[in-house]
Amino acid sequence: MKHVPTLDIRRYDSDRDAFVAEIGAAYREFGFCCISGHGIPAAAIDGAYDAFRRFFALPAETKLKYHVPGGGGARGYTPFGIETAKDSKYPDLKEFWHIGREIARDSKYAEVMPPNLWPDEVPGFREHGYGLYEALDALGSRVLCALALHIGLPEHYFADKTNFGNSILRPIHYPPITADDIPNVRAGAHEDINFITLLVGASAAGLEVLTREGEWLPITTQGDAIVVNIGDMLQRLTNHVYPSTTHRVTNPQDENARKPRYSVPFFLHPNPDVELDVLPSCVTPDNPKRYATSITAHEYLLERLREIKLI
């Protein structure tokens, strides 16, 4: 049976050529790979999850203090029933929070990257939340180094294109399902918008990826593994060499449906002014250029946020 492989990223330093070949093959096939050996302490992940659970347990009126109407969910809290997967009839069954990059307020990106909000009611939320943000940002940069090498680019090709990336850490709460006629999966079938997504804590069943054969393949992780998948921006940049694969979060069919589900994806974005123009190294006779025009990362992000009803 097919399965998304788990690769130890420490091999990037000890067995680089083989690791780059294996991770490249995994992404070409699935658009997904599980990464172990990343060195992010379990205590850091557990501390962040604890803080996020404590926030979502607050009364609705308290959480709504941190909702920014018209902000597209860029920072702070987004309540239930808003985000809707593209072409889905029903909104996703989730509420979430967005933590973004901390940048100087005189930065050229300040207009499109607002300051973070932090809930006063949850001690440790900022410390644990932004600590996990920085750890996943660093891990994502290492993964991008391997992906660059696999397609013939310099190792650090993406470094100056993501150092001010509009990246987002998104703690999500999926509530218990208490009715029998829920019309949607917890998160509808979709592709991610960004360069790559790193998902911490995918040990609970529910995440499924659509294979090339049109079958839904469950993904659960073991040990310290983190799920890392390709987003639409990197798919466009690499002319679909790295595919952005459809995935979803299903409703459990057993007693787990009556339990809440939490997950914390990190959406690694390029800098807002990066041009998403197809890389020449990814254009071949068998894979001609698929996009005639260029678009900036920020323009692309706005297009997609409109599609999923966040703006």
Side-chain angles (χ1 to χ4, degrees), residues 193-209:
I193 300 171
N194 41 294
F195 262 7
I196 59 174
T197 300
L198 297 88
L199 178 63
V200 182
S203 55
L207 177 63
E208 296 182 345
V209 58

Side-chain angles (χ1 to χ4, degrees), residues 7 34 41 57 86 112 198 274 282 308 311:
L7 299 178
C34 299
K86 183 182 178 182
V112 297
L198 297 88
V274 165
C282 295
I308 62 175
I311 60 174

Side-chain angles (χ1 to χ4, degrees), residues 81-252:
I82 292 183
E83 182 169 0
T84 305
K86 183 182 178 182
D87 300 326
S88 176
K89 293 170 59 179
Y90 304 102
D92 291 344
L93 307 176
K94 66 188 180 189
E95 58 180 341
F96 55 88
W97 182 279
H98 274 183
I99 298 171
R101 187 179 302 280
E102 296 274 324
I103 62 172
R105 297 325 302 167
D106 61 355
S107 165
K108 66 178 180 178
Y109 301 122
E111 185 176 343
V112 297
M113 294 169 64
N116 280 309
L117 301 177
W118 304 107
D120 298 328
E121 297 82 359
V122 183
F125 189 102
R126 179 173 187 164
E127 171 193 355
H128 288 293
Y130 203 67
L132 186 57
Y133 182 107
E134 292 184 308
L136 291 171
D137 195 33
L139 175 59
S141 294
R142 293 180 69 194
V143 172
L144 285 175
C145 286
L147 293 180
L149 289 174
H150 182 71
I151 55 175
L153 298 173
E155 177 185 7
H156 299 292
Y157 176 81
F158 292 107
D160 65 353
K161 298 167 183 63
T162 56
N163 55 338
F164 290 101
N166 193 8
S167 302
I168 293 292
L169 185 73
R170 174 190 273 191
I172 305 172
H173 169 224
Y174 301 97
I177 297 168
T178 55
D180 295 328
D181 59 347
I182 294 295
N184 196 14
V185 292
R186 275 175 157 165
H190 65 283
E191 299 82 42
D192 292 343
I193 300 171
N194 41 294
F195 262 7
I196 59 174
T197 300
L198 297 88
L199 178 63
V200 182
S203 55
L207 177 63
E208 296 182 345
V209 58
L210 189 63
T211 67
R212 293 177 185 270
E213 292 74 32
E215 298 176 350
W216 287 105
L217 180 67
I219 300 180
T220 54
T221 57
Q222 302 293 326
D224 70 341
I226 290 175
V227 178
V228 185
N229 64 276
I230 305 296
D232 286 349
M233 291 186 183
L234 191 59
Q235 172 179 261
R236 182 183 179 113
L237 194 71
T238 63
N239 205 34
H240 292 232
V241 170
Y242 292 135
S244 177
T245 304
T246 302
H247 53 286
R248 66 184 184 182
V249 179
T250 61
N251 296 334

